Amino acid sequence: MPFGSVRVRAYSDPRASVPVFDARDGEAWMVISLDRPPSAQGGVHEQRTCVALVATDPDALPSLLPTRSFLTLSFPAAVFQGIGLDAVGALAVDVGSALFWPFLTFAWVCATAERRQTGLTLYYTERLLQEMVVGVVVASLRGEQARIVTEDYSAALSIIAARVGDPGLTPAAIAAELNTSLRSLQRQFASRGTTLDRSIRAARVGHARSLLEDPVYDSLTIERVAHACGLANGSSLARAFAAEGLPSPAVVRATARRH
């Protein structure tokens, strides 16, 4: 079942089988195998056999044993940019985290629902699936004693990627979440020739541009695109575009349509 750039497939069969991958360039994959489908209630920690793996390269996923139920998700590998997953190839997801089972239940419902999606619900479902996947992966990386994300700079980038649509995402909020001083975090960004504010703005502009250039989201107004990127209104989005050296959002959308 496609939701914009996210594809979700659920399988449940009395006979054990092995998931089949339809790998595409630029995609990352998550594969979840379990003994039976998740319950509709989606308990925080369900007591059952479950294994979940994620990789930025499907070839990095190890061979999986046949199972009766499994869920596969594919999405742009760019959603993992900056969170530290590239260094591990494939990662075993922490199925005991507070987010995992609600995410699995939601993704399973998305994969098995027969109701047609409108442009607006398609957009929000795609965004929610991407953000939940990033949240699950970040929780797994941190649960490994931050063996990959070993410094505040990388961890801050992971927060920015996961919360790009959050209007409350500020340098101070990121520092507080990392339990570090804002000044120390700012020094790490300055040593790389950038700032926290600039990194947040670039992430928001990048996300907005991807929406404006995708005809699937033509029904979203410039104002709604701004809100989806954590900004107050279309004027704020236009200023952010200008600061990144881009034309106005309307021009970006119109140019994409002409090409």
Side-chain angles (χ1 to χ4, degrees):
M1 177 73 69
F3 295 91
S5 62
V6 181
R7 292 182 294 147
V8 190
R9 298 181 69 183
Y11 306 80
S12 186
D13 194 296
R15 300 164 297 178
S17 59
V18 177
V20 177
F21 301 108
D22 176 21
R24 301 177 183 176
D25 290 340
E27 284 188 337
W29 278 79
M30 178 177 283
V31 182
I32 304 168
S33 64
L34 58 165
D35 54 0
R36 63 187 186 278
S39 67
Q41 289 73 28
V44 174
H45 300 287
E46 296 200 14
Q47 299 300 315
R48 65 178 64 191
T49 302
C50 180
V51 175
L53 302 169
V54 66
T56 52
D57 178 2
D59 292 336
L61 287 170
S63 299
L64 298 174
L65 295 175
T67 184
R68 288 182 172 82
S69 298
F70 51 86
L71 183 80
T72 64
L73 297 95
S74 62
F75 36 86
V79 302
F80 288 144
Q81 186 174 0
I83 71 171
L85 185 62
D86 291 343
V88 295
L91 174 74
V93 174
D94 179 9
V95 299
S97 71
L99 182 59
F100 179 77
W101 284 101
F103 154 70
L104 173 56
T105 304
F106 176 70
W108 191 276
V109 170
C110 288
T112 56
E114 297 181 358
R115 184 182 305 172
R116 290 189 61 187
Q117 301 286 326
T118 65
L120 194 58
T121 57
L122 181 70
Y123 162 72
Y124 282 111
T125 302
E126 177 191 24
R127 284 297 302 157
L128 188 54
L129 284 168
Q130 287 187 3
E131 290 176 0
M132 293 181 81
V133 165
V134 172
V136 166
V137 172
V138 169
S140 298
L141 289 170
R142 290 181 179 175
E144 292 286 320
Q145 301 296 320
R147 63 186 178 88
I148 303 302
V149 184
T150 56
E151 57 178 322
D152 289 338
Y153 172 78
S154 297
L157 291 180
S158 73
I159 292 172
I160 292 171
R163 295 174 51 192
V164 67
D166 181 0
L169 181 64
T170 64
I174 295 171
E177 186 166 339
L178 293 175
N179 196 27
T180 189
S181 72
L182 178 57
R183 181 171 296 182
S184 172
L185 193 58
Q186 287 172 330
R187 282 199 297 267
Q188 290 195 36
F189 275 74
S191 69
R192 292 164 172 81
T194 188
T195 67
L196 270 164
D197 284 308
R198 192 180 304 158
S199 297
I200 294 171
R201 184 184 67 211
R204 285 178 167 157
V205 167
H207 178 47
R209 188 173 183 180
S210 69
L211 296 178
L212 293 168
E213 293 178 343
D214 191 336
V216 171
Y217 303 117
D218 277 348
S219 61
L220 295 181
T221 64
I222 300 295
E223 200 83 0
R224 281 196 173 274
V225 170
H227 294 164
C229 299
L231 297 173
N233 49 47
S235 297
S236 299
L237 184 62
R239 288 194 294 272
F241 269 54
E244 292 294 316
L246 295 173
S248 72
V251 170
V252 168
R253 171 173 272 174
T255 302
R257 295 302 166 271
R258 285 199 301 270
H259 294 156

